[in-house]
Every structure is written in structure tokens, then in C-alpha cells.
Amino acid sequence: MKTIDELLAEGVAGKRVFVRADLNVPLDGTTITDDGRIRAVVPTIAKLAEAGARVVVASHLGRPKGAPDPAFSLAPAATRLGELLGAEVAFATDTVGESARAAVAGLADGQVAVVENLRFNAGETAKDDAERGAFADQLAELADIYVGDGFGAVHRKHASVFDLPARLPHYAGYLIATEVGVLKKLTTDVKRPYAVVLGGAKVSDKLGVIDHLLERADRILIGGGMAYTFLKAQGHEVGSSLLQEDQIPAVQEYLRRAEEKGVEFVLPVDVVVAPSFPDLKTKAPAHPTTVAADAMPVGQMGLDNGPETNKLYASKLADAATVFWNGPMGVFEHPDFADGTRAVAQALVDSSAFSVVGGGDSAAAVRILGFDENAFGHISTGGGASLEYLEGKTLPGLAALED
């Protein structure tokens, strides 16, 4: 795929460059709670603007139903982007309508505009190729050149990700080039021991990557809500913890295959439990207790790894040469259940391993818990995209950037 450096060498002054970014940031009302994804695309946008391009930035945010919804407006992201760029950023209140056309027409060389949430248009996510293509045609009218830099969306066959690059000269931005380069280090000539930490809510979200990693990793550490399906698969009581009973046969098969292949599967030995899910808004005390992972009381909910598990996981990461981490170990947003996630992050900081934090909640947790991002090898902007890349899948947004 052609890179943005090649584009800059060709010259972009006066040209309209459409940058498909990932500004899908978490919001509390209109307040951005983690601006990591916006900061990640700034180098690409800034470089294009400095070279005299008229930059048109587009992204999705959340899951609106193909129609405008103020709760999912990109306006806060556009404001934050302007602050990070140190320049005024125009904002269009639609995506391909009158406001967008006016905003783009009003750009001078070196200026930037953000158009409204792509998913306010049903054509962005349509399953029908013709409907998606028609929306891509409208987007193409706004630009002369396409730069793909929204890594968090490259696993989606959406109009702005897959169809639009076919309609314009296309290049990969700095973020996508960096993300792909890092992920290759996790799939080609990996330095060993190679440890993988998987957390988050659902086992079903990680089945593909677990299957793939059983052929590649040396040890796999499990935490978060998905751990309780593993514990149940071993015959343990899990109380009222999150459980996917329909996945127990698959989990049992993975445990069997891991033993057969000599891949070390590491599960919690103790867990922090509470009678119910905590209030994440008030952060009211949740009255947690710590119990052995094989002795969870009925009526209690597992919400974090316990202190012995934290020590165990740190020891399993201490000698690793490569670590991939995707998914928090507990409900890190509440102080009573943040220690497991904090312990994994600290273990990676203390380790000499090349560490990749695989986007999504894990990346947010690192920042929310106060860790220096530079202490990790790489913090990805795309959780789902990273996982699908590691599964060996073809990602539509990357395929579309290939020549």
C-alpha cells in the first residue's frame, strides 16, 4: 500500500484530502473522557495541513441507527481536534449534504474541516453493495484523494472504509502504517516467550483469537468477565458472575488443546467479589471481598482478579519477550475493582518485553489509571481490528488500501 509520505512527495497543496479517521471517543454527555484516538490521528492531519492540503476529516462515533442523533455528534471531537492542532477546525452539521459541501468549499490551503458522524447515513453501514456504493459516490465528491487512517474501523466493510478508496487515489496514514507494523511483530518472527493477556466481558468475543493464538503463544492469561466461563468449564461455582454457558464446550476444548500443545493457560486463583455490579457513576463503596477462585459463594459476582492472581500474572509476564494485552481484568472504572487491571499494566511497565496494549477498554484503562503511554511498546487504537488481524483475517479497510 502507498503511504502518506509518498503522497506528500507527490504534492498535496490545494488538493482536497479525505482522511478517514477514528474519532470514536467515549463521551459523558458532550465531555470526552478519553481523547487517545483523536491524538493518534493528529500527526497525519497536521502533516497534510502543513503541506497545504485542504483536509476533510470523517469518522463514525457510536452506533446511531443510520439517522442523525445528537447523542452521537462528532462536534466535541471536532472541537478537541482543533485544540490539539492549535488551529480552527470547521464543523459540518451533516456528512454529504449542504453543510458538508459548504464547509469543504470554504477551506483554504492548510485548513481542516470535520464532517458529521458517517453513521448518520444508512449507506455507511449498509449490507447492500449498491447502497453503500451510492453513499461512497457522495463522499467522493468532497475530495480528490483518500487517506485511510482510522485503524479502529478497518475490520468493517463500510462505505468510507472499503468502498471510497476504490473511487479515489488512496494512501495509508501514519497511524495505520504504525499499527500494521506493530501487529506484524506479533505474527512474524515473534520474540519469545510470547505471552497474551485476554480480558473483557465475553468469551465469545475472543474465540477466534484464542483459537489462532493456541498455535503461536507460549502462555495465555485470562481475566475479566470471560474468566468465569473458564472457571465454570473447570467445574467451579461462579455465583452470579458473568457467564456464557453456551461457550463452555468450546472453552473446554481450548483448555484440552492448550495442554496438548504445551501452551500454558493461566486462570485466576482468587477473585474479588461483591453482591452486585457497582455503581460506576457515584463510585459508591461496593463492599468487596476476596475469595478463592474455586470457592466462590452463590449470590456473589466476580468483578476483578484477587491479589494472589495479580502476583501470579506479574510473575508470568516478568520473563516474557513479547506481550499482547486485550481486555481489562475487572471493572476498572470503579476503584474497588481496578487492582487487577492496574497490576497487569504495572507488570508490563516493569517488564523489558515488547508490549502491545490492544485498544478498546485496555487502552482507556491505561490512561485512566494514570500510566505513561510511553512506558508501553505500543497502545493500539483498534481493539476489534487488532484481534481480527491476529486471527489472520483479511481486514476490508487494509485490503482497500492495497494497490
Side-chain angles (χ1 to χ4, degrees):
M1 67 180 66
K2 290 184 179 179
T3 67
I4 188 174
D5 285 331
E6 293 175 83
L7 170 60
L8 291 167
E10 295 167 9
V12 293
K15 295 181 180 178
R16 300 171 302 163
V17 180
F18 186 102
V19 177
R20 202 327 181 166
D22 180 8
L23 308 180
N24 184 27
V25 291
L27 294 172
D28 182 1
T30 59
T31 301
I32 296 170
T33 58
D34 178 16
D35 68 355
R37 283 177 168 160
I38 302 175
R39 287 187 286 112
V41 77
V42 164
T44 290
I45 296 171
K47 200 73 172 181
L48 289 167
E50 288 169 11
R54 302 178 181 191
V55 187
V56 182
V57 181
S59 175
H60 70 286
L61 191 152
R63 296 179 182 273
K65 306 297 184 182
D69 183 339
F72 297 105
S73 175
L74 277 175
T79 299
R80 181 60 181 145
L81 176 61
E83 292 170 353
L84 292 167
L85 289 171
E88 185 177 347
V89 169
F91 180 66
T93 56
D94 56 29
T95 303
V96 291
E98 183 178 339
S99 180
R101 291 192 296 271
V104 175
L107 290 175
D109 293 1
Q111 291 185 333
V112 179
V114 174
V115 298
E116 186 55 283
N117 193 335
L118 290 161
R119 292 185 183 175
F120 285 1
N121 299 75
E124 170 68 0
T125 59
K127 302 293 185 186
D128 180 75
D129 291 348
E131 185 179 355
R132 248 189 6 262
F135 182 51
D137 287 339
Q138 291 180 291
L139 291 171
E141 293 176 5
L142 300 176
D144 306 304
I145 298 164
Y146 178 93
V147 171
D149 216 28
F151 181 74
V154 294
H155 59 314
R156 305 296 189 191
K157 192 176 181 181
H158 291 170
S160 66
V161 175
F162 179 74
D163 302 272
L164 183 56
R167 289 157 167 78
L168 295 170
H170 45 269
Y171 301 80
Y174 291 125
L175 175 59
I176 279 186
T178 298
E179 294 274 13
V180 172
V182 165
L183 289 171
K184 283 182 177 178
K185 292 184 180 181
L186 300 178
T187 54
T188 307
D189 298 325
V190 182
K191 292 184 179 179
R192 298 185 180 277
Y194 178 20
V196 177
V197 185
L198 296 176
K202 297 180 179 179
V203 172
S204 54
D205 291 342
K206 305 290 195 301
L207 288 177
V209 75
I210 292 173
D211 185 68
H212 201 68
L213 288 169
L214 282 172
E215 305 295 330
R216 291 160 178 79
D218 297 301
R219 61 186 72 125
I220 300 174
L221 288 62
I222 302 293
M226 62 185 287
Y228 302 102
T229 300
F230 277 86
L231 292 170
K232 186 72 171 181
Q234 291 184 323
H236 302 312
E237 171 63 50
V238 296
S240 58
S241 306
L242 186 63
L243 174 65
Q244 288 187 285
E245 290 202 53
D246 60 324
Q247 301 299 333
I248 287 176
V251 166
Q252 290 172 329
E253 174 63 13
Y254 287 147
L255 292 171
R256 185 197 65 76
R257 281 176 54 198
E259 185 174 5
E260 182 181 273
K261 293 178 177 295
V263 177
E264 187 178 9
F265 241 107
V266 188
L267 298 176
V269 294
D270 63 345
V271 294
V272 181
V273 301
S276 60
F277 197 83
D279 188 324
L280 299 184
K281 283 203 174 289
T282 66
K283 304 291 195 295
H287 309 294
T289 55
T290 300
V291 299
D294 60 358
M296 288 184 62
V298 174
Q300 292 283 308
M301 177 181 292
L303 295 164
D304 196 14
N305 287 347
E308 293 305 312
T309 300
N310 294 339
K311 293 176 188 175
L312 172 65
Y313 284 19
S315 72
K316 296 296 182 181
L317 296 172
D319 68 340
T322 305
V323 179
F324 174 70
W325 172 28
N326 181 280
M329 298 293 98
V331 186
F332 71 91
E333 301 93 337
H334 192 286
D336 288 343
F337 308 106
D339 286 350
T341 302
R342 183 181 290 107
V344 168
Q346 188 63 55
L348 297 189
V349 169
D350 294 340
S351 167
S352 60
F354 173 66
S355 57
V356 178
V357 181
D361 287 340
S362 322
V366 163
R367 289 185 279 265
I368 290 169
L369 295 176
F371 287 91
D372 180 356
E373 294 181 50
N374 295 320
F376 303 87
H378 179 68
I379 297 181
S380 179
T381 58
S386 296
L387 289 175
E388 291 198 17
Y389 188 99
L390 292 183
E391 287 178 43
K393 290 184 177 180
T394 297
L395 305 188
L398 296 184
L401 294 175
E402 298 288 351
D403 293 314

